[in-house]
């Protein structure tokens, strides 16, 4: 090892400028060493701190690996293998944590501690001796200055002796401090070399020991385990790449569709409508009242579930019930500020919710789906087939054969059927058995009227200035004086489907043909709006009453009703033929078709009973005999003798004047 520079101890007493100059070099070297040692200690402390942090990190990592099993993942299928693997890794990390802890302790003892001791002992000793040497040199200079000022003529032996002693003591003290200082600086040249190498030697030994123990821990079984985990990760990566490729292809296919898919109402002219739906889902706007005349719309997700209409806002876990669709009615409505709106009306005639679809197709499919559900088709064994069969009734308009002819050959007309509710023996005379051709019943191209009157609000506005004439040629009265004296008052909730002129009233086939053509026309022209009314059957006439204003929309003398019948398949369809005189002296025949909330046979029975009462009113005995034939309820009242609209099961219901928006 090469020699090092030294301060000569023999020259310490002389304290020559050359010695002082050499001493300044040593002092500069010591200062540089002190600065470097401080920086080196910071670096080593950082390494030690990082190793301590590694110990804490590996400990936390082990705990976190075990915590995976306790996580309640919503999609935790196939995690069993991952959990077992993480448990094994947690065990490995714990073993590594032990090694990291040992390494941290060894670094503290063999790397950080030696450099700290070198700084605190050797460098601090040199700095202290430097200060002492400086004080001794200053004291020696002061004593020499005092000795030099002794007078030459008047010498005081006593003072001179004291000053000489003081100079000798200061010089001795300076000599002693300089010797100690020079020795410390000379030793520092050796100690600094050891101080630089010892910590790194401890660091190297600690790391080697750590790696040796780590290599011993990772045995052949560990290698096999890591190999199997690597294979599993690789297989997952292959599956991921295959799935990513499938998703990329699917994404390209989905993005390559026609731009019309993004347009809400692209096929408004001729949409392809599925009328056989028994379930439907999608976003609709729900109208809510915010004040007396103000409304707001909220976009929500609606779906049907069985016979219920459900609603689920965004962010909600499940949907809630909005409307029971069994036996309800649905129709398109006009809203001032919105298009494609429809309204669901409850079975008791109360106005339900109003919804808005985003397109004409969605609007009509929702109406068809709700209409199919209201018939409880979903309870049948094959609801799709039943829905198709019921909707084919309207589509048969393109064929010359009536949809009711085969049924009519094997069953009696509605007028010849007994009422199942009251089991009355009175029946209407049987219709003609022979079935005429459609051209003999209704002239081809006969126009169909789909609305019976104007809406109630327009009706009231038009009647403020003058009396309004009913479009059916009947005058309307706000009061019904004859109804008070009538022995029969039965109310039904009906919806007007359409009316048309016919050629004959000699057979009920004319009603069936009118039903077929009205339903077909509605289906072809996509007309879903229906005017709801209360049909009052008395012994004198039929009245159609507005449910909101209780104003009579139309009156038909019971004697002018010549035919009436209910549909044999769709029990809620009912129609009647009215014979009215014309101004030219002749007579016109018109058929009116309705959909009722109850069975059409009940309406036919009520009309038949009203006709019989009207015929025997002048004969008290016959009238009494007829009234005795009507069954009584448990409270002693006549069946059908009430003034309340009936519910779906035919029983009278309350709130007959409840509002129902047409």
């Amino acid at each position: 090892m090469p020699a090092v520079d030294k301060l000569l101890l023999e020259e310490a007493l002389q304290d020559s400028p050359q010695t002082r100059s050499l001493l300044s070099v040593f002092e500069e070297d010591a200062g540089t060493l002190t600065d470097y040692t401080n920086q080196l200690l910071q670096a080593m402390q950082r390494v030690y701190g990082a190793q301590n942090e590694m110990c804490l990190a590996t400990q936390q990592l082990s705990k976190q690996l075990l915590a995976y099993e306790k996580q309640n993942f919503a999609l935790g299928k196939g995690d069993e293998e991952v959990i077992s693997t993480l448990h094994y890794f947690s065990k490995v990390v714990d073993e590594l944590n032990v090694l990291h802890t040992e390494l941290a302790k060894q670094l503290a003892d063999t790397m950080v501690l030696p450099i700290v001791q070198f700084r605190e002992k050797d460098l601090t000793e040199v700095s202290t001796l430097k200060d002492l040497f400086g004080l001794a040199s200053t004291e020696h200079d002061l004593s020499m200055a005092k000795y030099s000022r002794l007078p030459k003529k008047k010498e005081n032996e006593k003072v001179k002796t004291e000053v000489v002693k003081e100079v000798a003591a200061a010089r001795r003290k300076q000599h002693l401090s300089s010797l100690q200082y020079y020795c410390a600086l000379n030793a520092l040249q050796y100690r600094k070399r050891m101080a630089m190498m010892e910590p790194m030697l401890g660091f190297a030994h600690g790391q080697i020991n750590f790696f040796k123990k780590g290599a011993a821990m990772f045995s052949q079984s560990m290698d096999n385990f890591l190999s199997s985990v690597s294979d599993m990760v690789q297989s997952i990566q292959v599956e991921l790449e295959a799935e990513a490729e499938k998703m990329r292809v699917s994404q390209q296919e989905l993005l390559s569709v026609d731009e019309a898919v993004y347009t809400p109402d692209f096929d408004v002219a001729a949409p392809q409508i599925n009328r056989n739906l028994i379930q439907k889902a999608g976003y609709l706007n729900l109208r809510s009242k915010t004040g007396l005349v103000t409304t707001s719309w909220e976009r929500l997700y609606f779906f049907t579930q069985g016979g219920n209409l459900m609603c689920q806002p965004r962010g909600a876990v499940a949907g809630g019930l909005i409307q029971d669709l069994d036996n309800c009615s649905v129709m398109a409505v006009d809203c001032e500020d919105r298009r494609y709106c429809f309204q669901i009306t409850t079975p008791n005639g109360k106005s339900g919710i109003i919804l808005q679809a985003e397109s004409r197709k969605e609007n009509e499919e929702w109406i068809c789906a709700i209409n199919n559900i209201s018939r409880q088709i979903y309870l049948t064994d094959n609801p799709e087939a039943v829905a198709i069969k019921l909707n084919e009734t309207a589509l048969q308009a393109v064929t010359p054969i009536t949809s009711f002819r085969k049924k009519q050959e094997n069953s009696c007309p509605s007028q010849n059927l007994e009422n199942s509710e009251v089991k009355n023996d009175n029946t209407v005379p049987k219709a003609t058995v022979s079935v005429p051709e459609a051209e003999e019943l209704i002239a081809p191209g006969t126009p169909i009227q789909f609305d019976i009157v104007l809406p109630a609000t327009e009706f009231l506005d038009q009647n403020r200035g003058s009396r309004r004439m009913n479009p059916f040629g009947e005058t309307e009265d706000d009061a019904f004086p004859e109804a008070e004296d009538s022995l029969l008052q039965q109310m039904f909730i009906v919806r007007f489907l359409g009316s048309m002129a016919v050629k004959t009233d000699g057979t009920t086939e004319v009603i069936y043909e009118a039903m077929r053509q009205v339903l077909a026309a509605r289906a072809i022209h996509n007309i879903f709006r229906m005017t709801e009314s209360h049909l009052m059957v008395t012994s004198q006439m039929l009245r159609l009453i507005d449910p909101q204003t209780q104003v009579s929309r139309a009156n038909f003398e019971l004697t002018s009703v010549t035919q009436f019948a209910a549909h044999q398949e769709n029990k809620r369809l009912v129609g009647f033929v009215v014979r009215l005189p014309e101004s030219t002296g002749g007579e016109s025949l018109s058929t009116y078709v309705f959909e009722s909330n109850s069975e059409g046979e009940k309406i036919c029975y009520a009309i038949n009973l009203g006709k019989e009462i009207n015929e025997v009113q002048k004969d008290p005995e016959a009238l009494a005999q007829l009234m005795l034939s009507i069954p009584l309820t448990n409270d002693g009242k006549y069946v059908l003798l009430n003034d309340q609209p009936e519910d779906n099961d035919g029983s009278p219901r309350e709130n007959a004047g409840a509002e129902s928006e047409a």
Side-chain angles (χ1 to χ4, degrees):
M1 189 172 181
V4 297
D5 295 326
K6 297 181 183 180
L7 286 171
L8 297 178
L9 300 181
E10 294 79 2
E11 298 180 358
L13 182 61
Q14 299 296 327
D15 195 20
S16 63
Q18 291 80 6
T19 303
R20 285 278 183 160
S21 177
L22 182 61
L23 177 62
S24 65
V25 174
F26 276 76
E27 289 177 343
E28 182 181 358
D29 184 77
T32 304
L33 179 61
T34 301
D35 294 338
Y36 174 78
T37 302
N38 290 332
Q39 296 176 3
L40 179 63
L41 178 61
Q42 290 179 359
M44 292 183 176
Q45 287 177 338
R46 185 175 181 182
V47 173
Y48 172 69
Q51 187 60 41
N52 275 335
E53 182 64 26
M54 176 62 73
C55 296
L56 297 176
T58 51
Q59 184 179 5
Q60 182 65 26
L61 175 61
S62 177
K63 293 180 179 179
Q64 202 64 31
L65 291 176
L66 295 177
Y68 182 87
E69 184 180 7
K70 302 178 182 179
Q71 306 303 311
N72 295 324
F73 290 107
L75 304 175
K77 183 179 180 181
D79 282 352
E80 293 79 7
E81 190 173 1
V82 175
I83 291 174
S84 62
T85 304
L86 293 183
H87 274 251
Y88 191 89
F89 272 123
S90 175
K91 181 181 178 181
V92 173
V93 171
D94 285 336
E95 295 177 358
L96 285 175
N97 182 50
V98 174
L99 298 182
H100 282 292
T101 304
E102 292 180 359
L103 177 60
K105 184 177 182 304
Q106 192 168 0
L107 291 179
D109 295 338
T110 60
M111 182 181 72
V112 178
L113 182 60
I115 198 71
V116 170
Q117 290 177 344
F118 172 72
R119 188 187 68 170
E120 299 297 331
K121 180 180 179 181
D122 297 333
L123 294 180
T124 303
E125 180 184 7
V126 170
S127 177
T128 303
L129 292 175
K130 178 181 178 181
D131 294 338
L132 293 176
F133 175 74
L135 292 175
S137 296
T138 303
E139 185 177 352
H140 177 261
D141 291 341
L142 291 175
S143 63
M144 285 301 298
K146 187 176 180 181
Y147 176 78
S148 300
R149 288 194 298 268
L150 287 176
K152 183 173 63 173
K153 295 181 179 182
K154 297 180 179 182
E155 294 184 354
N156 189 338
E157 293 295 332
K158 184 179 180 179
V159 174
K160 181 178 179 181
T161 303
E162 292 178 354
V163 172
V164 169
K165 289 181 179 180
E166 183 178 351
V167 170
R171 180 172 292 178
R172 179 178 179 83
K173 185 176 181 180
Q174 181 189 17
H175 189 204
L176 179 61
S177 62
S178 63
L179 288 176
Q180 292 176 344
Y181 186 38
Y182 286 2
C183 290
L185 288 175
N186 290 335
L188 185 62
Q189 302 303 310
Y190 296 94
R191 291 175 179 173
K192 74 175 181 180
R193 299 184 182 185
M194 292 188 298
M196 297 301 105
M197 292 184 290
E198 283 182 354
M200 296 311 301
L201 186 63
F203 173 79
H205 282 301
Q207 294 291 342
I208 292 173
N209 186 39
F210 173 79
F211 290 131
K212 285 182 178 180
K213 291 183 178 181
M217 185 185 69
F218 287 93
S219 59
Q220 183 65 30
S221 60
M222 186 64 182
D223 292 338
N224 296 335
F225 170 74
L226 294 178
S227 178
S228 64
V229 174
S230 300
D231 294 340
M232 183 177 65
V233 173
Q234 185 65 27
S235 64
I236 296 175
Q237 180 66 27
V238 172
E239 293 179 5
L240 173 60
E241 293 176 356
E243 185 64 24
E245 180 63 21
K246 291 181 181 179
M247 290 188 292
R248 186 185 65 81
V249 174
S250 299
Q251 183 180 6
Q252 291 179 351
E253 292 178 355
L254 293 174
L255 293 176
S256 62
V257 297
D258 190 2
E259 288 295 329
V261 173
Y262 304 106
T263 306
D265 206 14
F266 70 97
D267 56 349
V268 64
Q272 299 295 327
I273 301 171
N274 185 0
R275 304 185 184 280
N276 304 319
L277 296 173
I278 56 173
Q279 58 183 4
K280 181 72 174 172
Y283 280 96
L284 296 172
N285 292 326
L286 173 65
R287 190 178 76 168
S288 304
K289 288 187 177 181
T290 57
L292 294 177
V293 295
T294 58
T295 58
S296 64
W297 296 83
E298 183 180 6
R299 189 169 185 262
L300 301 171
Y301 186 80
F302 288 83
F303 61 95
T304 59
Q305 190 176 66
N308 299 322
L309 179 63
M310 313 293 287
C311 173
Q312 183 174 358
R314 283 185 177 178
V317 178
L321 177 63
I322 292 296
Q323 181 76 46
D324 184 1
L325 300 178
D326 287 344
N327 298 316
C328 72
S329 60
V330 59
M331 65 184 73
V333 294
D334 292 330
C335 294
E336 296 180 357
D337 58 338
R338 297 288 177 129
R339 303 180 301 164
Y340 308 131
C341 297
F342 60 93
Q343 174 179 293
I344 302 175
T345 305
T346 59
N348 58 12
K350 292 184 179 180
S351 299
I353 58 176
I354 294 181
L355 302 168
Q356 181 199 15
E358 67 178 19
S359 65
R360 176 185 170 189
K361 175 183 178 181
E362 285 293 307
N363 181 44
E364 297 185 9
E365 285 190 350
W366 270 105
I367 292 176
C368 292
I370 295 175
N371 188 40
N372 291 335
I373 294 173
S374 68
R375 301 176 183 179
Q376 299 183 350
I377 298 176
Y378 62 92
L379 297 177
T380 60
D381 295 335
N382 192 352
E384 292 82 1
V386 175
I388 294 173
K389 181 178 179 181
L390 290 178
N391 285 284
E392 280 180 352
T393 303
L395 298 178
Q396 288 177 355
V398 297
T399 64
I401 302 175
T402 63
S403 60
F404 314 108
R405 185 165 300 170
K406 293 182 180 180
K407 179 75 177 178
Q408 184 65 21
E409 292 176 356
N410 299 322
S411 62
C412 297
S414 178
Q415 288 178 330
N416 197 34
L417 293 176
E418 283 189 343
N419 187 287
S420 59
E421 296 287 336
V422 298
K423 298 182 180 179
N424 191 7
D425 294 334
N426 298 325
T427 57
V428 180
K430 296 182 179 179
T432 306
V433 177
S434 61
V435 180
E437 295 294 333
E439 291 78 4
E440 298 177 7
L441 302 175
I442 301 173
T446 301
I448 300 175
Q449 182 177 349
F450 294 109
D451 201 355
I452 194 166
V453 289
L454 292 173
T457 53
E458 291 187 43
F459 174 79
L460 293 177
D461 292 340
Q462 293 183 4
N463 277 274
R464 288 173 180 169
S466 61
R467 187 174 181 84
R468 180 182 180 277
M469 297 302 294
N470 193 285
F472 292 94
E474 300 288 342
T475 60
E476 67 178 13
D477 301 320
D478 293 338
F480 315 127
E482 72 284 352
E484 297 176 359
D485 300 334
S486 177
L487 295 176
L488 174 66
Q489 295 180 25
Q490 176 64 25
M491 193 83 76
F492 300 92
I493 298 175
V494 297
R495 285 168 291 280
F496 180 70
L497 297 179
S499 64
M500 60 190 307
V502 296
K503 290 183 177 182
T504 179
D505 59 353
T507 174
T508 55
E509 281 294 325
V510 68
I511 298 177
Y512 301 147
E513 182 63 25
M515 288 179 180
R516 183 188 69 83
Q517 293 198 20
V518 167
L519 292 176
R522 279 182 170 270
I524 293 173
H525 298 291
N526 298 319
I527 300 174
F528 294 96
R529 179 173 180 174
M530 295 180 288
T531 302
E532 186 169 275
S533 304
H534 288 170
L535 175 63
M536 177 183 285
V537 181
T538 69
S539 59
Q540 298 172 356
M541 64 175 53
L542 303 179
R543 286 187 180 276
L544 289 175
I545 303 172
D546 189 305
Q548 295 179 339
T549 63
Q550 297 300 307
V551 176
S552 177
R553 284 175 168 166
N555 301 325
F556 303 99
E557 294 289 342
L558 206 57
T559 56
S560 65
V561 178
T562 58
Q563 287 286 352
F564 48 92
H567 195 297
Q568 287 93 342
E569 296 178 357
N570 189 345
K571 301 299 183 181
R572 297 197 297 176
L573 290 182
V574 65
F576 55 82
V577 181
V578 178
R579 181 183 291 270
L580 297 175
E582 293 183 343
S583 59
T584 58
E587 291 181 333
S588 63
L589 295 174
S590 298
T591 299
Y592 298 87
V593 181
F594 296 88
E595 181 186 42
S596 173
N597 280 12
S598 59
E599 293 184 4
E601 289 291 343
K602 296 181 180 181
I603 299 178
C604 294
Y605 174 78
I607 296 175
N608 180 51
L609 183 59
K611 279 181 167 292
E612 292 184 358
I613 294 175
N614 192 17
E615 292 176 0
V616 300
Q617 271 186 341
K618 296 181 181 181
D619 188 351
E621 294 182 1
L623 179 60
Q625 186 66 27
L626 176 62
M627 300 309 292
L628 288 175
S629 65
I630 303 176
L632 298 175
T633 60
N634 293 332
D635 54 359
K637 295 183 179 180
Y638 287 111
V639 175
L640 301 177
L641 296 186
N642 60 77
D643 56 356
Q644 299 294 334
E646 69 170 16
D647 227 333
N648 291 334
D649 56 356
S651 59
R653 73 171 177 85
E654 299 178 355
N655 301 329
E659 292 184 359
S660 177
E661 185 175 343

